[in-house]
């Protein structure tokens, strides 16, 4: 049995398995056909807005929706060769999600360093949600 690891070490280990992208690289990848996948929970999307063209998939459904062999896959989950950029709020949960997609055979899955907040700070496109800003709640990772 291996010794327990903390979350910082776990993140370091999973991130060593792929190359992360910054906001500009994610934007360029999306324009070249990569699938941006926003896994932030609803309150954060309502508060901060959406990335135009990004597919919203709740984190607890991600593997089922993006597995090209799965019976619950989305139409966008066309092949294991699909380039996917997972986006959470600050770039932590997305790293674990990208590693999980790698385990499913999506070898081109990655995540956005700094998450949605880095995208927004880079001045990249964001659209408000129809419901407007939500009450400020706890920040997601």
């Amino acid at each position: 049995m291996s010794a327990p690891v903390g979350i910082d070490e776990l993140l370091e280990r999973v991130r060593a398995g792929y190359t992360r992208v910054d906001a500009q690289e994610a934007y360029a990848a999306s324009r070249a056909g990569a699938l941006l996948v926003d896994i932030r929970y609803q309150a954060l999307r309502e508060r901060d807005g959406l990335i135009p063209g990004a597919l919203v998939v709740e984190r607890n459904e991600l593997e089922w929706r993006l597995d090209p062999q799965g019976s619950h896959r989305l139409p966008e989950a066309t092949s294991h060769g699909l380039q996917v950029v997972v986006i959470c709020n600050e770039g932590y949960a997305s790293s674990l999600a990208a590693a999980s997609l790698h385990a499913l055979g999506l070898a081109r899955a990655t995540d956005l360093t700094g998450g949605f907040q880095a995208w927004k700070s880079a001045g990249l496109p964001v659209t408000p949600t129809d419901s407007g800003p939500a009450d400020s709640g706890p920040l997601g990772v």
Side-chain angles (χ1 to χ4, degrees):
M1 189 179 201
S2 10
V5 298
I7 188 62
D8 292 331
E9 184 176 340
L10 179 61
L11 283 171
E12 187 176 315
R13 287 181 186 182
V14 300
R15 288 172 176 166
Y18 63 92
T19 302
R20 301 177 81 203
V21 296
D22 66 23
Q24 293 295 336
E25 291 167 323
Y27 181 70
S30 71
R31 295 184 56 89
L35 184 63
L36 300 183
V37 180
D38 186 343
I39 63 168
R40 294 175 299 143
Y41 54 87
Q42 184 175 353
L44 289 175
R45 295 190 311 267
E46 289 175 354
R47 182 188 76 189
D48 294 338
L50 300 167
I51 295 172
L55 184 64
V56 174
V57 179
E58 296 286 337
R59 173 62 190 99
N60 63 327
E61 296 180 358
L62 184 69
E63 292 81 0
W64 285 267
R65 299 298 187 206
L66 292 185
D67 178 5
Q69 298 176 333
S71 59
H72 297 290
R73 72 181 172 274
L74 292 169
E76 293 85 353
T78 55
S79 77
H80 285 95
L82 181 65
Q83 185 179 11
V84 177
V85 179
V86 183
I87 302 167
C88 66
N89 193 50
E90 295 178 352
Y92 297 99
S94 58
S95 294
L96 299 175
S100 183
L101 293 178
H102 274 257
L104 285 176
L106 291 154
R108 296 179 67 204
T110 187
D111 76 312
L112 173 57
T113 303
F116 178 86
Q117 296 306 320
W119 178 279
K120 186 174 166 184
S121 293
L124 293 169
V126 174
T127 57
T129 59
D130 293 336
S131 59
D135 294 335
S136 59
L139 291 179
V141 290

